[in-house]
Amino acid sequence: MLLDLVNLPTAENSVIRLHPSDNVAVARVPVAAGTQLRVQDAGVAVLDYIPAGHKLALRAIAPGEMVRRYGQAIGRAKTAIEPGQHIHTHNLSFEELAMEYEFPAGEAAVPERKQAPAFLGYVREDGRVGTRNYIAVVAASNCAAHTAEMAARSFEGETLPPNVDGVVAFPHGDGCGHTPGPDTEQLRRTFGGVLAHPNVSAALIVGLGCETNQIDHYLGKGAPRSARLAGLTLQESGGTRATVEAARREIRRFIEQAAAERRTEVPASRIVLGLNCGGSDSFSGITANPALGHCSDLLAELGGTPVLGETPEVVGAEHLLVRRARNRAVAERLLAFIAGYKDYLGRFGASFDHNPSPGNKEGGLSNILEKSLGAVAKAGTSRMIEVVDYAEPLTSPGFVFMNTPGYDPVSLTGLAAGGCNLICFTTGRGSAIGFPTVPVIKIASNSNTYRRMTDNMDINGGAIADGEKTVQQVGQEIFDRMLEVASGRLTCAERMGHQEFVPWRIGPVM
């Protein structure tokens, strides 16, 4: 369990010990060599300069001994480590640990959807609820990406009806040269989820005409176009300019439809909340992630659906999720996705420990074990009800895990395609990412990043490390902001116009 951080020491006593069994502490502020610290009544003389967010030894650690943070193993000491020494990649080794799993013995109940509290959303025909009301222009392949962008951008500067959030393009680099089978199936699943997303009033798919990702897959060959979906190809429409003009006619029809749609009061249990982190630092697992985890638990208790992604970033912490699974089959599916991802990496001679970026390490995260143990805190403590593959439809109430990469734009694309109508994103180093049709709430793990990137940060989780707020208080702040954003309040990413969209290509380029 994370300790209550509201009474954290300040400058004169500047480290955080997260669990009684930890043999390391984390520097809340930079700590100079020679500083005398007291950690839970024990004196520690600091031997090295310790940057903020980095670890120092609380006692002597022998070569090969496990180093522990969060009460969990994060690797072995490469050499003898003295009390007060800096612990990082130079003296901490990574290894894939042999986990002992506590599988659930029975079957836990699926949460019931509660009717309060509420937000104002767009109720769709299938019962899902949108938090936004966009017209989407989706390129079927890279060959049509420029044309799709031209069509969407042609509406910039026009005054749209007040309840139409915009006309947005989905350009990308895929859609052709795919192999049949899982690669093409995943691509189609992703695009299908984007086209039929609850935040999308209507969508237009634009193809070249000869690509692997044929628009007829989405429209139905020979079937009449529905009132919410249309398709065009450059080859049939007569080239770029003619396709843009044809697209504009379809989009104007869609705008008229969307103008008649209204927000109505709906229960918060209809929120499907993507949980993601990027540009993480050592504070992420102390402040922003557990605060988001508290919000996640509040939503799951209501019967809403918090969704954790980023499969590489649960490695080393998967045993904590296994014991929370609704039943053994759910736990086994999580482990199967991790094993499959390991095989996927093995094709390229890669390791899960290649995940932490240079920025992660500069922020104090030494390896993937340490990063994962902090990352899973975003999902709180509630039961894991379901495990789904990338971009699979999200239909179950309660906490769900989705198999996605750790790379932020690819992970967000899978979460959104699955049906997340809102995303919360924690960051330590700083991130500006958004998504074309889904609002992204950005939560800073430290106050320096919050103040430095005011254009991009919505909530300051750093107030926890500063001793100003508790994890629960910031978690409630995130929950309250989530309801406001779901009802129409803009996020920083929306105001800045961030609209990243990157599908996960798992096959070769033909």
Side-chain angles (χ1 to χ4, degrees):
M1 296 289 293
L2 290 173
L3 302 179
D4 188 344
L5 303 180
V6 69
N7 296 315
L8 278 177
T10 54
E12 68 271 15
N13 194 355
S14 306
V15 297
I16 306 165
R17 189 184 192 185
L18 294 167
H19 191 274
S21 69
D22 289 355
N23 50 15
V24 302
V26 177
R28 187 176 66 84
V29 294
V31 181
T35 302
Q36 296 290 324
L37 300 175
R38 292 197 66 79
V39 181
Q40 296 178 350
D41 298 327
V44 180
V46 179
L47 302 182
D48 306 315
Y49 168 70
I50 313 295
H54 284 241
K55 299 175 290 297
L56 76 158
L58 295 178
R59 61 169 178 79
I61 302 174
E65 185 179 349
M66 280 293 181
V67 176
R68 301 183 71 84
R69 178 181 173 179
Y70 303 109
Q72 303 288 330
I74 62 169
R76 296 184 188 275
K78 294 179 182 178
T79 61
I81 301 174
E82 297 300 317
Q85 276 193 312
H86 182 208
I87 297 181
H88 200 31
T89 55
H90 62 288
N91 56 6
L92 177 63
S93 67
F94 163 78
E95 64 178 80
E96 292 190 19
L97 303 177
M99 297 290 185
E100 293 186 4
Y101 300 122
E102 298 175 27
F103 290 100
E107 180 88 15
V110 175
E112 293 184 4
R113 296 193 190 274
K114 296 182 173 61
Q115 297 304 306
F119 72 99
L120 298 175
Y122 296 95
V123 180
R124 306 303 184 190
E125 293 92 336
D126 61 3
R128 294 186 299 167
V129 177
T131 63
R132 295 293 183 269
N133 208 33
Y134 280 102
I135 310 301
V137 185
V138 181
S141 68
N142 180 252
C143 301
H146 178 65
T147 305
E149 285 188 287
M150 287 180 66
R153 286 177 178 172
S154 72
F155 287 87
E156 290 180 356
E158 290 197 17
T159 301
L160 299 175
N163 51 332
V164 178
D165 289 298
V167 179
V168 292
F170 283 78
H172 56 91
D174 294 314
C176 202
H178 289 259
T179 55
D183 190 30
T184 298
E185 290 166 7
Q186 180 161 289
L187 177 82
R188 288 174 171 172
R189 189 167 68 240
T190 302
F191 281 71
V194 166
L195 292 165
H197 195 277
N199 289 4
V200 173
S201 174
L204 175 68
I205 184 165
V206 181
L208 175 61
C210 57
E211 59 266 90
T212 302
N213 191 29
Q214 289 283 295
I215 68 171
D216 283 346
H217 171 77
Y218 307 97
L219 302 172
K221 190 172 180 62
R225 292 172 179 169
S226 77
R228 294 191 179 274
L229 180 62
L232 299 167
T233 69
L234 279 78
Q235 291 169 355
E236 290 183 353
S237 300
T240 301
R241 290 180 183 174
T243 304
V244 170
E245 286 307 311
R248 284 177 57 82
R249 290 191 292 272
E250 294 285 6
I251 292 166
R252 287 205 181 279
R253 176 170 68 86
F254 290 154
I255 289 173
E256 289 180 10
Q257 289 179 183
E261 295 165 348
R262 298 288 184 270
R263 289 183 181 270
T264 57
E265 188 171 284
V266 290
S269 57
R270 305 311 303 187
I271 290 177
V272 184
L273 180 67
L275 312 171
N276 215 92
C277 57
S280 299
D281 67 359
S282 190
F283 288 108
S284 296
I286 300 172
T287 61
N289 288 351
L292 180 53
H294 181 69
C295 170
S296 172
D297 284 343
L298 293 175
L299 182 61
E301 187 178 356
L302 295 173
T305 307
V307 188
L308 179 67
E310 302 182 284
T311 304
E313 297 179 17
V314 303
V315 171
E318 69 269 27
H319 60 297
L320 304 178
L321 296 177
V322 164
R323 69 172 66 146
R324 292 166 51 187
R326 175 169 62 98
N327 55 37
R328 186 173 183 122
V330 169
E332 294 280 14
R333 193 165 198 226
L334 172 70
L335 296 178
F337 279 132
I338 293 172
Y341 212 107
K342 184 177 180 180
D343 291 342
Y344 171 67
L345 295 176
R347 290 182 238 158
F348 307 97
S351 158
F352 282 119
D353 199 41
H354 291 154
N355 172 285
S357 68
N360 294 153
K361 292 178 180 179
E362 189 175 341
L365 295 172
S366 300
N367 58 41
I368 190 58
L369 303 180
E370 183 179 17
K371 185 177 180 180
S372 292
L373 288 163
V376 297
K378 299 190 298 293
T381 60
S382 58
R383 283 284 182 189
M384 184 170 66
I385 301 300
E386 189 59 85
V387 172
V388 300
D389 204 355
Y390 187 83
E392 282 188 341
L394 297 157
T395 59
S396 175
F399 163 47
V400 176
F401 179 84
M402 178 182 282
N403 178 37
T404 79
Y407 182 39
D408 301 331
V410 180
S411 182
L412 261 61
T413 295
L415 291 168
C420 289
N421 52 15
L422 199 152
I423 292 171
C424 281
F425 188 106
T426 65
T427 183
R429 308 292 293 174
S431 174
I433 195 169
F435 192 80
T437 52
V438 180
V440 179
I441 300 171
K442 213 68 59 53
I443 305 148
S445 76
N446 64 84
S447 296
N448 287 336
T449 295
Y450 181 78
R451 289 190 291 263
R452 190 175 65 251
M453 297 183 68
T454 54
D455 282 344
N456 307 104
M457 298 297 119
D458 296 284
I459 291 174
N460 182 21
I464 298 167
D466 296 340
E468 298 172 358
K469 296 180 180 179
T470 65
V471 166
Q472 291 74 23
Q473 286 172 329
V474 176
Q476 185 67 53
E477 182 181 354
I478 298 168
F479 183 86
D480 294 341
R481 181 68 61 87
M482 175 190 73
L483 294 181
E484 293 173 5
V485 169
S487 297
R489 176 173 175 170
L490 294 180
T491 66
C492 288
E494 288 178 298
R495 289 195 296 270
M496 292 294 103
H498 283 281
Q499 298 183 348
E500 288 76 13
F501 171 69
V502 183
W504 182 14
R505 185 165 192 158
I506 55 176
V509 178
M510 298 300 290

